[in-house]
Amino acid sequence: MKSFEQVLELDKVLQQAAGFASNETTKNMLLQCKPCCDLAEVRTEIQKTDDALQLALQFGTPPFTEFRDICNLVTRASSGARLSLKDLLDIADLLRQVQSLAQWYGHCSESATSLDYVFSQVIPDDGLLSMLERSILSEDEIADSASPTLAEIRRKLTRSRAHLRDTLDKMVKNKTIQKYLQDTNITIRDGRFVLPVKTEYRNQIAGLIHDTSSSGQTLFIEPLQIVEANNDIRLLESKELEEIDRIMQKLCAEVGSRSESLKRLHNACAELNYYFAKANYAASLKAVKPKISDDGIIELKKARHPLLDQTKAVPIDLALGEQHNALIVTGPNTGGKTVALKTAGLLTAMTMCGFLIPVTDGSRISIFRHILADIGDSQSIEQNLSTFSSHTLNVVEILETADDSTLILLDELGSGTDPVEGAALAISVIDYLKQLGAKLMVTTHYQELKLYAADTPDVMNASCEFNTKTLQPTYRLITGSPGKSNAFAISGQLGIPAVILKHAESLISEENKQFEHVIEKFENARKELESEKEQAEQLRREAELLKAEWEQKSHELAERETQMLERASEQASRIVESTKAQSNALLDELEKLKREKDKSDFSARVSGIKSTSTQQLRDMYKTANPVIGNLDENGNYVLPRTLQKGDAVLIPDLRQEGMIISDPGNSESAFVQIGIMKMKVQISRLRLLDKTKQNQNQKKKPKRKNQVSVKAERKGSMELDIRGYACDEGVHEVEQFISSALLANIGIVMIIHGKGTGVLRKAVQEKLSRMKCVKSYRNGVYGEGEDGVTVVTLRD
C-alpha cells in the first residue's frame, strides 16, 4: 500500500514549495517535511509561516541569497584543517546573507512575532566578513591588502621583474646578440627568465642552460648578467608564498574559532528562508491560516486543490466530524469526487506540515494521528491482483491501523465485484470504522450507499454537481444531497445511440427510477433555495452598506456638533472676559468717586459717571445676551412681538442663526432658512435677533437660487418654482401661491417642482386634490417640463 503522502501527492506540494527556497539546505528541509500530529507544534509552525507572510506583505520578502552549507567546513577549520579560498568565499557569502537579513529586520516595525527568536540569532560578524573580503580576491588569488607585508613583497617583485625585463629587452635589441637568438621573445623556465638561443651559438652567450626545445634547435639560456636578479625574484616569490600561507592559516584559525557561531548563523538563515519560502508559496496560492484543533472536525470553505490551476480550480465547501462522521460522495465520473477526496486529505496533511492552505477565512482543520487513503486503481499484474483484490488489501491495512484519531479517504469502496455484495461490504466497512471513531469520506456510485447515508444519523450524503443542460460537471460539492451518476446523459454525449440508451432505461427497476426521480426533485428544490439564499445575501449586503453610510453620516453630524459647541464655548469665554473687564472698570470708577466725594464738582461727576455706567451696563447686557426680548416671571424667554417673514432669529439649542422665510400666522411653527437648508421649527424654540443685525445679514446674504419667484404676466399665467424644497415647506408655499393667484384673478398657474424622486410632486398633487378652489390639475406635456411641472386650473 502506498503511503498517504504519495496517494495525496503531498510530495508534489513540497516540491513546489521548495522552488521558493534560495539554498540547498532549505530545499532539503522542505522536501523532507513530514506531517506532525502534535497540536501545539502544528499551531506553532503555522503561526511562524503566517507571521512570515504578514512580514513579507508589509515589508517585502527578505533578500535571501544562494548560500552554501558551511557547517562541515567550519568543523574542519576548528580541528586545524586548511580551507581553500573557495571555502572561505562561501563563508563570506553566508556572512553577507546574515548582514542583509539583519538590516532588513532592522527596518521592520517593533511588533512581536513568532520569528523574533530566529532573527535574534542573526547577529552580523562584521569583523570576520571585513577580513575575508579584504584578503581574498577570487578562488585563486589573495589580495595585496591581506597584509602590509604581502603588499610590500609584491611591490618589490613588481619592481624587480620590471628591472629584469628592461635588462633583457636591451640584450634582445642588441644587434650582435639578435643574430644568436631563435626569436626575440623572453620566456620563463623553472621560474627564471631566459633567452631562446640557437644551438650553434651556445658559446656566444655566457650563462646557464635551463631547457632545450623539443626539436633540439633552441637552448633556453639564463645570461650571467641576470642570474642575480633572477635569484632575487625567486627569493621574493618564496617570501610571498610564505606570507600567503601565514595569511591562510590566520583566516582558517579565525573561522575555526567561530565555528559554533557560524553554524548557528547558517541554521538561522536556513530556518528563516524555510518559513519565508512557505509564506511565498502561500501567497502564490492565496492561502490563509485555518483554525486548528484535534477534535476531528474539518470545515473547509472555498477550498481549492493546491496542484490545480488556481485561476480555474472550482472552490468547494466541505464539513466533516461535527454533525456527521462519514460523508458519502456521489456523482458522475469525471465530476470531481476524487478531487474533493484528495482536497480534504491534502489540505489536512499540508496543515500538519505547517503550511497555510488555499481556503477562505473561517475554515477549520483537525490534526489526526493517522491519515489513511485508498484512492485510484491499484491492480497489479505481477502480484496477480485484480482491482477488487488490491482495494481489499488496502482496506485490510486501513482496518488494522484506524483508531479514533484517523481520517480515512476511500475511493469507490466495494467496487470491482458484484454490486449487491460490494454495496453490502462497503456499508459494513463504514459501520465498523465509525464504531472506531474514525472520520471518513467515501466516493461511490451505489444506490444502496445513498440510501444508507439518508437513513443513518451521523452519515451525510454529498454530490458533485452536474449541469444537465450542458451535460458537463460543475465540480461543485453539494453537501446534504445525493447525486446521480448521469451515465445515460454522458453516454449519449459520447456517441451511444439513442435506441440503446432508451432500451437501457427500460431495464432499470421501478424502485430505482422512483429513487432517481426523488433525487431529481430534491436537486431542483435545492437550486431554488440556493437562488433565494443568494438574493437574501445580496439584500443583506445592501443593508450593511446603507447601515455603514448612515453611521458615517451620523459620525459626521456628531463631529459638526462638537465643533459648533467648541466655537460657542470660545465665544462665551470671550464674552465673559469682556464683561469682566468692563465691570472691573466700573468698580474702579466707583472707588475713585468715593475718594473724591468732598470736592466741589462731586454731584456733576456722579451724574456723568452714572450715565456712563448705565450705558456700559446696557452694552454689557447686549454683549452677553445678543437676543432681544423679554423674560417672564419664571425667567423664560418671551417674544417681544409676533414673528414675520424676513425676521432674523436664533435657534439656541442648535446654536444657529436663520431667517423666517414665510409668515407663520397663528401657527405654532415657522419655516426657517439656515444657510442652504430650510427647516420647520417650533416658535417656542426661536429667539428674535437685533434689527440692526438682521439688516446687516440681509445685505450680506446673496439671493438663493431656489428662492420662490412669482411671475405675473398680462397673458394671465403664473409660475411657482419650489425645486429643492422639503415636502411640507413646498406644500406651504403652494397654498400661499394659490391664494395669491385667486386674488390676482388668474385662472391657470404652473407649479415647478422638478422630477427628482417624485416625492415633492406627489405631496403637491395630494394637496391640490384637497383644495376646493382647484378645478383640475395635470402633469406638464412636452415643451412645458413634462413630469417636472404641474399645471393647475383654478375655479372662477
Side-chain angles (χ1 to χ4, degrees), residues 621 627-633 635-641 687:
Y621 178 76
V627 179
I628 306 301
N630 302 318
L631 299 178
D632 60 15
E633 58 184 7
N636 297 323
Y637 177 80
V638 178
L639 285 169
R641 60 173 174 79
R687 304 288 185 269

Side-chain angles (χ1 to χ4, degrees), residues 622-679:
K622 289 182 179 180
T623 302
N625 182 15
V627 179
I628 306 301
N630 302 318
L631 299 178
D632 60 15
E633 58 184 7
N634 296 322
N636 297 323
Y637 177 80
V638 178
L639 285 169
R641 60 173 174 79
T642 304
L643 295 177
Q644 300 175 0
K645 182 177 181 180
D647 283 341
V649 294
L650 172 72
I651 308 175
D653 52 351
L654 296 181
R655 294 177 174 81
Q656 292 287 332
E657 294 182 6
M659 181 180 291
I660 303 294
I661 58 174
S662 63
D663 289 327
N666 297 325
S667 175
E668 295 181 354
S669 302
F671 287 98
V672 180
Q673 179 169 343
I674 304 173
I676 63 171
M677 181 175 66
K678 306 181 190 69
M679 60 187 298

Side-chain angles (χ1 to χ4, degrees), residues 414-640:
S415 63
T417 187
D418 178 74
V420 176
E421 294 179 354
L425 180 61
I427 292 172
S428 180
V429 169
I430 294 171
D431 279 336
Y432 180 80
L433 292 172
K434 286 201 299 103
Q435 290 176 8
L436 293 176
K439 308 299 183 289
L440 62 154
M441 286 181 64
V442 179
T443 66
T444 186
H445 288 284
Y446 291 152
Q447 298 281 29
E448 291 84 354
L449 264 69
K450 300 177 188 178
L451 291 170
Y452 165 76
D455 294 337
T456 308
D458 60 345
V459 181
M460 180 67 70
N461 267 311
S463 62
C464 290
E465 191 178 49
F466 186 82
N467 191 327
T468 55
K469 295 182 179 179
T470 62
L471 300 180
Q472 293 290 334
T474 64
Y475 301 107
R476 291 180 58 212
L477 185 67
I478 310 300
T479 302
S481 170
K484 298 173 63 178
S485 296
N486 293 291
F488 293 157
I490 296 173
S491 299
Q493 186 187 29
L494 295 175
I496 299 295
V499 62
I500 296 177
L501 295 176
K502 187 175 182 180
H503 178 62
E505 289 178 0
S506 67
L507 298 178
I508 298 176
S509 66
E510 190 63 31
E511 291 181 358
N512 284 337
K513 287 182 179 179
Q514 291 178 357
F515 182 75
E516 292 290 333
H517 183 63
V518 169
I519 291 178
E520 187 174 354
K521 290 177 64 178
F522 186 86
E523 180 67 12
N524 292 335
R526 181 192 61 77
K527 290 180 179 178
E528 291 179 4
L529 287 173
E530 278 193 353
S531 177
E532 293 177 0
K533 180 181 177 182
E534 187 175 345
Q535 293 177 4
E537 181 65 20
Q538 178 65 25
L539 292 175
R540 184 188 66 78
R541 288 194 294 267
E542 291 177 359
E544 287 182 350
L545 289 175
L546 291 174
K547 180 182 177 182
E549 183 178 352
W550 178 83
E551 289 178 347
Q552 176 66 20
K553 290 182 178 179
S554 176
H555 179 68
E556 291 175 356
L557 288 173
E559 287 185 346
R560 286 183 58 190
E561 182 179 358
T562 302
Q563 294 172 358
M564 291 167 63
L565 288 172
E566 290 177 353
R567 288 196 298 270
S569 177
E570 292 176 359
Q571 184 177 1
S573 298
R574 288 194 297 271
I575 292 174
V576 168
E577 291 298 325
S578 175
T579 305
K580 182 179 178 181
Q582 293 182 36
S583 65
N584 288 336
L586 286 175
L587 290 174
D588 292 341
E589 288 289 338
L590 290 174
E591 185 66 27
K592 183 177 180 182
L593 183 63
K594 183 178 179 181
R595 290 195 299 267
E596 299 176 356
K597 63 181 180 179
D598 296 331
K599 293 185 177 181
S600 58
D601 58 346
F602 177 73
S603 298
R605 295 193 63 181
V606 167
S607 299
I609 291 175
K610 184 177 180 181
S611 175
T612 303
S613 64
T614 302
Q615 182 61 39
Q616 287 181 347
L617 286 171
R618 190 178 296 113
D619 293 341
M620 288 165 61
Y621 178 76
K622 289 182 179 180
T623 302
N625 182 15
V627 179
I628 306 301
N630 302 318
L631 299 178
D632 60 15
E633 58 184 7
N634 296 322
N636 297 323
Y637 177 80
V638 178
L639 285 169

Side-chain angles (χ1 to χ4, degrees), residues 232-353:
D232 291 341
I233 290 174
R234 291 299 297 272
L235 181 61
L236 288 172
E237 289 175 345
S238 176
K239 290 181 178 180
E240 180 187 24
L241 292 176
E242 290 176 359
E243 181 62 17
I244 290 173
D245 185 67
R246 187 191 67 80
I247 292 170
M248 288 294 293
Q249 287 181 356
K250 180 181 178 182
L251 293 177
C252 293
E254 291 290 340
V255 169
S257 66
R258 293 172 168 84
S259 62
E260 293 303 321
S261 64
L262 288 172
K263 289 178 186 178
R264 286 194 296 270
L265 289 175
H266 170 267
N267 294 336
C269 292
E271 186 175 358
L272 287 172
N273 191 210
Y274 173 78
Y275 290 114
F276 279 98
K278 280 185 172 182
N280 288 333
Y281 180 55
S284 70
L285 296 176
K286 297 181 180 178
V288 300
K289 179 179 71 173
K291 297 177 182 177
I292 306 169
S293 64
D294 58 357
D295 54 7
I297 297 176
I298 296 176
E299 185 178 2
L300 302 179
K301 297 181 179 180
K302 305 295 182 184
R304 306 179 305 279
H305 195 288
L307 298 179
L308 297 178
D309 185 345
Q310 296 299 295
T311 61
K312 298 179 181 178
V314 178
I316 63 172
D317 294 335
L318 187 150
L320 181 66
E322 187 170 16
Q323 297 179 351
H324 49 273
N325 292 328
L327 196 64
I328 307 299
V329 185
T330 53
N333 289 323
T334 70
K337 299 190 302 298
T338 304
V339 172
L341 212 63
K342 287 187 173 182
T343 300
L346 183 54
L347 297 190
T348 301
M350 286 176 64
T351 303
M352 294 170 66
C353 287

Side-chain angles (χ1 to χ4, degrees), residues 628 641 644 647 689-696 698:
I628 306 301
R641 60 173 174 79
Q644 300 175 0
D647 283 341
L689 293 180
D690 191 353
K691 191 73 175 179
T692 304
K693 187 172 183 178
Q694 174 186 345
N695 293 337
Q696 290 175 351
Q698 287 177 349

